[in-house]
Amino acid sequence: MNLDFVAGKTFETIDPRTGETIARVSEGDKEDIDLAVGAARRAFDHGPWPRLPGAARAKIMHKFADLIDQHIEELATLDTLNAGKLFSWGKAVDIPSVANTLRYFAGAADKIHGQVLKMSRELHAYTLLEPIGVVGLIIPWNFPSTMFFVKVSPALAAGCTMVVKPAEQTPLSALFYAHLAKEAGIPDGVINVVSGYGPTAGAALTSHMNVDKVSFTGSTEVGRKVMQAAAASNLKTVSLELGGKSPLLIFDDADIDQAADLALLGVMHNKGEVCVAGSRVLVQEAIYDEFVKTLVEKAKEWVVGDPFHPNSRVGPQVDKKQYEKVMSYIEHGKREGATLLTGGKPAAKKGYYIEPTVFTDVTDDMMIVKDEIFGPVMVLMKFKTMEDGIRAANNTRYGLAAGIVTKSLDTANTVSRSIRAGVIWINCYFAFDNDCPFGGYKSSGFGRDEGMVGLQKYLQVKSVVTPLYNSPWQ
């Protein structure tokens, strides 16, 4: 639950539609993290949550999900005000989906078990799956509700207790979820939400000697710091879901209208603030010119505006810093010689709105091709053969996701097995599901969220062995 913070400091949380202050939020620091970790440790070592039958934990998790369903409007409003996310999408998709994530993992809570082992000697052995302990969960600002429950849900199902550090840009919905957790009957100390800054509260959490695991979603740069802190403290386990520069490969047999729609969805959805954004669009040269014409026309449909307006498809970047970062990359692209096909300018006099932007005539050494921009910026590139496309797709330090658009099953199979990325979408994009593991290769991190794999990282395997005397069987 949200604690009374020691120093009494607060910080502003901003509405990206206007740049104005929504509210002041308690600013947690090292002392507050100590208190929260202490509460989580007591709840784990002595409290009921890890000791409840899985079915009992599941019942409370279902009640938590039901309370979220009862507050969809308020929660969607908070994420729109705080993160600039589309209100219509939050009501229809994001918030209902987080309730379903809770229900999915609630269904697993009473199915956590080990195995009986066939030993080669006169021994009886089995494994136990036990909760890993106190976990630190660090949430990004681009999907504040979704990522809260991608991490909290499996940790709850496993029987862990936790300290959640939401992004300083978007703390509001996390604080409301802490309130709903209390109402649902989750015992004190199981979920502790501490709002604050990464270099203070986040650093204290990752280096804390009483935290058994950290799960972090954010930039690759900060992910390295999380690993260093874990190694320098108590060698806590770490899972990281980091940056991406994902390719979308469009082959010459593709339906061009479908391909253009997927390409725009892949980088304009959520104003491009998506770790798996398909920001490198690779088009086979035979259809390139026709594809570009179709893309430019369809880009006009991506209306930039107030995320509360039902016609808006692109809201504001999350804050001034992110807005300036995206605009800086656009200027870099121009200076480096890329051709600006469409967009590239601020889309409003007030707030942090940017036009959907598409560059062509790019080269592999350009910053806009290499770096994760995290905004509505696409780079278009040509390729000749399948092999050329695969090489271009893999020519990145990242490996989070990729998309393939083709009518050929052979092409889809070959390319999906050749790209080094954690998820491959064929003739679709952003096809997430609670049962589908998600995570990265290379500098996009390690560990998986979602699916039963996402539950396993919150569990420890313990082996129990006893001798067998005079057994008629071996």
Side-chain angles (χ1 to χ4, degrees), residues 381-442:
M381 308 171 76
K382 293 181 190 178
F383 68 93
K384 289 185 179 181
T385 65
M386 181 193 300
E387 292 72 22
D388 292 333
I390 292 168
R391 275 194 296 272
N394 283 328
N395 186 22
T396 173
R397 61 186 177 273
Y398 298 111
L400 200 52
I404 302 166
V405 188
T406 180
K407 295 176 183 174
S408 167
L409 186 59
D410 287 342
T411 298
N413 283 334
T414 299
V415 177
S416 62
R417 285 160 172 77
S418 301
I419 295 175
R420 299 196 65 220
V423 60
I424 310 293
W425 291 304
I426 300 171
N427 296 326
C428 59
Y429 212 82
F430 297 136
F432 292 107
D433 188 85
N434 285 326
D435 204 42
C436 186
F438 171 73
Y441 287 29
K442 301 188 284 187

Side-chain angles (χ1 to χ4, degrees), residues 110-424:
D110 61 353
K111 301 170 186 67
I112 297 170
H113 55 79
Q115 297 176 309
V116 175
L117 307 176
K118 183 69 173 78
M119 305 291 274
S120 61
R121 299 158 54 199
E122 290 185 345
L123 299 168
H124 173 63
Y126 58 92
T127 59
L128 297 172
L129 297 182
E130 299 182 342
I132 200 167
V134 175
V135 297
L137 307 175
I138 300 179
I139 312 298
W141 46 257
N142 58 330
F143 286 91
S145 287
T146 300
M147 294 310 302
F148 186 99
F149 284 99
V150 161
K151 297 182 187 300
V152 165
S153 302
L156 285 174
C160 295
T161 61
M162 62 212 72
V163 177
V164 183
K165 210 293 283 183
E168 55 265 31
Q169 296 88 343
T170 55
L172 297 183
S173 58
L175 297 173
F176 196 9
Y177 290 127
H179 163 69
L180 294 181
K182 178 78 169 176
E183 283 196 1
I186 293 176
D188 287 349
V190 174
I191 300 179
N192 305 274
V193 176
V194 180
S195 48
Y197 291 98
T200 50
L205 185 59
T206 57
S207 62
H208 204 287
M209 295 296 290
N210 239 340
V211 172
D212 300 301
K213 176 187 174 54
V214 168
S215 177
F216 170 81
T217 297
S219 71
T220 300
E221 176 189 8
V222 176
R224 290 192 177 95
K225 295 178 180 178
V226 170
M227 284 194 72
Q228 290 167 353
S233 54
N234 59 343
L235 286 173
K236 59 179 65 68
T237 65
V238 174
S239 53
L240 303 173
E241 193 259 285
L242 307 175
K245 192 70 176 178
S246 300
L248 175 67
L249 287 89
I250 300 170
F251 288 87
D252 57 13
D253 64 342
D255 179 291
I256 290 179
D257 280 334
Q258 179 198 30
D261 285 335
L262 287 174
L264 288 164
L265 173 69
V267 75
M268 304 306 168
H269 175 66
N270 204 52
K271 55 272 183 27
E273 293 174 346
V274 188
C275 54
V276 293
S279 51
R280 293 185 299 137
V281 178
L282 312 174
V283 185
Q284 203 157 16
E285 60 183 11
I287 62 167
Y288 182 83
D289 291 340
E290 185 181 355
F291 175 83
V292 169
K293 291 177 185 176
T294 303
L295 185 80
V296 170
E297 282 302 308
K298 286 181 175 289
K300 298 173 184 176
E301 300 170 7
W302 285 79
V303 176
V304 182
D306 190 319
F308 280 107
H309 196 287
N311 292 338
S312 296
R313 296 187 72 182
V314 181
Q317 308 309 128
V318 72
D319 62 8
K320 184 179 181 182
K321 180 180 178 181
Q322 184 61 22
Y323 168 84
E324 290 176 345
K325 175 187 171 185
V326 175
M327 290 305 302
S328 173
Y329 271 110
I330 291 171
E331 293 306 312
H332 270 296
K334 293 176 186 177
R335 285 198 300 271
E336 290 178 323
T339 300
L340 187 61
L341 189 65
T342 185
K345 299 189 295 295
K349 293 181 179 178
K350 192 175 187 180
Y352 307 127
Y353 298 90
I354 297 175
E355 293 178 345
T357 300
V358 180
F359 281 103
T360 59
D361 302 318
V362 299
T363 57
D364 289 339
D365 60 346
M366 290 181 179
M367 289 179 65
I368 58 172
V369 176
K370 296 189 297 182
D371 292 356
E372 182 180 44
I373 298 174
F374 229 61
V377 181
M378 176 195 300
V379 296
L380 272 176
M381 308 171 76
K382 293 181 190 178
F383 68 93
K384 289 185 179 181
T385 65
M386 181 193 300
E387 292 72 22
D388 292 333
I390 292 168
R391 275 194 296 272
N394 283 328
N395 186 22
T396 173
R397 61 186 177 273
Y398 298 111
L400 200 52
I404 302 166
V405 188
T406 180
K407 295 176 183 174
S408 167
L409 186 59
D410 287 342
T411 298
N413 283 334
T414 299
V415 177
S416 62
R417 285 160 172 77
S418 301
I419 295 175
R420 299 196 65 220
V423 60
I424 310 293

